Amino acid sequence: SRWSAILDLIERDVKSWVEDRIDHAEITRAGWDTPQIDLRWYTRDDIVRAIQIVLGSFPAGGYRLAINVSAWKDFESDHQRKWSTKEITTFGVPDDLRDFPHNELSNGLLKAYKEVQQWEQRSLDTKSDLPSRPQELFTPELSSKKILGYKRP
């Protein structure tokens, strides 16, 4: 499909861009409902940093790319996640992929990287509860209760 061809092109560019810049980066291609490529890495301050390259379409037709950043840190003691996100840039994808703006993608990735890399813990301005872990569902207090349709023997 057209979206797959565009994502293939972007994924090659992202892998090439990451090689000399980020150690131990994870690149994933996800989003059955929103095609995107995620680039994620951990830093010494235990903050997870990410760049999302999201493929979408314009209402009048044609495709566009949005480059966003996010970062988060989990605080187990408070059972909280602190996080933040920001849109960095958006640009159109030409009909002829031979005219794909590789430099614009590379510049957007660099701008995104510089932005999210400077964030500190105090930059993470949104909080949410961490989801329960499976082992927390079977604490001694809950061992005889019916949970999610399953009763522990």
Side-chain angles (χ1 to χ4, degrees):
S1 78
R2 176 87 171 142
W3 286 36
S4 290
I6 297 169
L7 287 174
D8 289 345
L9 183 69
I10 294 166
E11 189 173 13
R12 281 192 300 272
D13 280 4
V14 169
K15 285 179 179 178
S16 175
W17 185 88
V18 166
E19 269 181 11
D20 299 328
R21 291 178 177 85
I22 306 172
D23 290 331
H24 308 293
E26 175 183 284
I27 299 171
T28 57
R29 187 166 164 168
W32 61 269
D33 58 340
T34 306
Q36 69 184 50
I37 294 175
D38 295 322
L39 169 59
R40 182 181 306 180
W41 67 99
Y42 295 84
T43 51
R44 291 184 183 162
D45 54 7
D46 291 327
I47 295 176
V48 181
R49 299 167 197 280
I51 300 172
Q52 300 85 26
I53 303 102
V54 183
L55 179 61
S57 56
F58 288 114
Y63 296 98
R64 67 178 174 84
L65 282 180
I67 299 177
N68 307 315
V69 294
S70 60
W72 61 92
K73 183 173 182 174
D74 292 343
F75 296 87
E76 296 291 335
S77 60
D78 297 338
H79 207 63
Q80 293 274 310
R81 171 173 284 172
K82 293 182 181 176
W83 54 278
S84 192
T85 63
K86 182 177 181 180
E87 183 176 303
I88 299 299
T89 189
T90 301
F91 57 91
V93 176
D95 291 333
D96 186 344
L97 292 182
R98 291 176 294 188
D99 297 328
F100 185 84
H102 297 279
N103 284 341
E104 197 163 354
L105 175 60
S106 182
N107 291 339
L109 289 170
L110 183 59
K111 184 176 178 183
Y113 176 76
K114 286 180 176 180
E115 173 70 30
V116 76
Q117 200 60 13
Q118 72 181 349
W119 289 358
E120 298 175 343
Q121 186 173 318
R122 68 175 172 259
S123 307
L124 309 178
D125 55 9
T126 307
K127 290 182 187 178
S128 59
D129 290 334
L130 289 173
S132 294
R133 294 185 184 154
Q135 67 266 25
E136 291 173 347
L137 295 175
F138 296 108
T139 61
E141 303 84 44
L142 298 175
S143 64
S144 63
K145 294 183 180 178
K146 190 173 182 179
I147 301 170
L148 303 175
Y150 176 79
K151 184 171 174 135
R152 187 172 180 179

